[in-house]
Amino acid sequence: MDEKEDKQLQEGQMENGHVYDHYRVTLAPVLESKLDEFRLLGNDSISEEELWKYLVKKKWKKDKGEKLFHQLVQDILTVKMSDFISFATIETYKESPFSLDNEEEWKELLK
């Protein structure tokens, strides 16, 4: 590992994505199990990609690659639907192009 890769690993990011991205294929059955649990609880609209995004951006945001595989599995299995929904809501607000500068948008909001 060269100095640049070492620095990126310390910062919790690799050049091609998150430091745990190389585990994604191996963790696929665990992700699917969590999605099955969400479906049993009545939410079948969450995709594997959305769950992975939550883990990378929220749960493992500051991780530097020091977790063991079983700790990653535990992190996935302990995700609460309410935590995921809160994260997804905030992300939606961040990405929303909605602006109240337009009179039509005000009318739509006040309907």
Side-chain angles (χ1 to χ4, degrees), residues 98-111:
F98 190 77
S99 166
L100 297 177
D101 295 336
N102 186 333
E103 185 178 338
E104 292 298 319
E105 291 175 351
W106 273 103
K107 289 178 182 178
E108 184 68 29
L109 178 66
L110 297 174
K111 281 186 180 179

Side-chain angles (χ1 to χ4, degrees), residues 8-9 11 14 17 20 46 49-50 54 59 78 81 85 91 95 105 111:
Q8 287 173 335
L9 184 61
E11 293 172 358
M14 292 301 284
Y20 296 132
I46 300 171
E49 181 65 34
E50 292 169 323
Y54 165 78
K59 205 82 155 152
T78 58
M81 191 175 343
I85 298 293
E91 287 297 305
E95 297 169 0
E105 291 175 351
K111 281 186 180 179

Side-chain angles (χ1 to χ4, degrees), residues 29-97:
V30 182
L31 294 166
E32 190 58 41
S33 175
K34 181 48 79 170
L35 293 172
D36 288 343
E37 177 186 328
F38 285 171
R39 286 184 203 107
L40 286 172
L41 295 173
N43 193 333
D44 56 352
S45 63
I46 300 171
S47 70
E48 183 178 318
E49 181 65 34
E50 292 169 323
L51 180 56
W52 187 258
K53 182 179 174 183
Y54 165 78
L55 292 163
V56 167
K57 288 186 144 191
K58 183 71 174 178
K59 205 82 155 152
W60 301 328
K61 183 178 181 176
K62 296 182 181 182
D63 281 5
K64 297 176 181 158
E66 70 274 356
K67 286 194 176 195
L68 300 174
F69 184 77
H70 73 275
Q71 292 170 316
L72 300 177
V73 171
Q74 181 180 5
D75 285 347
I76 295 168
L77 294 178
T78 58
V79 171
K80 296 178 186 158
M81 191 175 343
S82 60
D83 293 339
F84 176 83
I85 298 293
S86 295
F87 169 79
T89 303
I90 291 168
E91 287 297 305
T92 301
Y93 287 140
K94 287 180 182 177
E95 297 169 0
S96 177

